């Protein structure tokens, strides 16, 4: 029942910047990995960036040097700073968060939740 709320998408000209945010809420015990993926129109979803609880990051080759993923553990939030945007970055962006949550009976279990997606459109 961990829910993710995404924000920050919109329209921007090529070369511009946007920052996406994804806040997790619910019965969260801890969060491990936090990811951003995207799905361009008519194409398959692809992983864009990921960050571990220790702060290690990975990026798709197509966004290296332009995008930066970060997290605020106190706020259970992950960010994606997108600079030097290109038309090919146009897609629906999704956040994905995994970790451990409290369950009924006082137990704990692993979870993985996905945001509903936010549209990013980059014009030429």
């Amino acid at each position: 029942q961990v829910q993710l709320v995404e924000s920050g998408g919109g329209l921007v000209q090529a070369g511009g910047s946007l920052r996406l945010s994804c806040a997790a809420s619910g019965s969260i015990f801890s969060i491990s990995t936090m990811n951003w993926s995207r799905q361009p129109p008519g194409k398959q979803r692809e992983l864009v960036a990921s960050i571990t609880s220790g702060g290690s990051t990975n990026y798709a080759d197509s966004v290296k040097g332009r995008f930066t993923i970060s997290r605020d553990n106190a706020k259970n939030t992950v960010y994606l700073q997108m600079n030097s945007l290109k038309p090919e970055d146009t897609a629906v962006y999704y956040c994905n968060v995994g970790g451990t949550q409290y369950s009924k009976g006082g137990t704990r279990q692993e979870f993985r939740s996905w945001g509903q997606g936010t549209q990013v459109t980059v014009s030429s």
Side-chain angles (χ1 to χ4, degrees):
Q1 64 178 24
V2 175
Q3 295 183 323
L4 307 181
V5 179
E6 299 183 30
S7 63
L11 304 175
V12 65
Q13 294 183 345
S17 299
L18 287 173
R19 189 180 77 158
L20 306 182
S21 299
C22 176
S25 62
S27 302
I28 301 172
F29 176 76
S30 64
I31 293 177
S32 56
T33 58
M34 307 181 86
N35 307 317
W36 286 98
S37 61
R38 67 185 182 186
Q39 186 167 25
K43 298 182 179 180
Q44 295 183 329
R45 187 179 301 187
E46 63 178 351
L47 181 65
V48 174
S50 63
I51 185 168
T52 68
S53 60
S56 297
T57 59
N58 282 292
Y59 299 93
D61 289 339
S62 59
V63 306
K64 285 183 178 178
R66 299 188 298 118
F67 290 11
T68 302
I69 187 172
S70 61
R71 61 191 289 170
D72 186 333
N73 292 330
K75 297 181 179 180
N76 290 330
T77 300
V78 61
Y79 306 93
L80 185 67
Q81 179 66 47
M82 305 183 294
N83 298 326
S84 301
L85 283 164
K86 305 175 181 179
E88 49 264 45
D89 294 320
T90 295
V92 178
Y93 284 71
Y94 301 88
C95 64
N96 170 226
V97 176
T100 303
Q101 66 178 343
Y102 294 106
S103 299
K104 292 182 179 180
T107 61
R108 301 171 186 172
Q109 65 181 42
E110 299 299 305
F111 76 89
R112 184 160 296 279
S113 297
W114 286 261
Q116 294 186 353
T118 184
Q119 177 70 48
V120 172
T121 302
V122 184
S123 62
S124 301

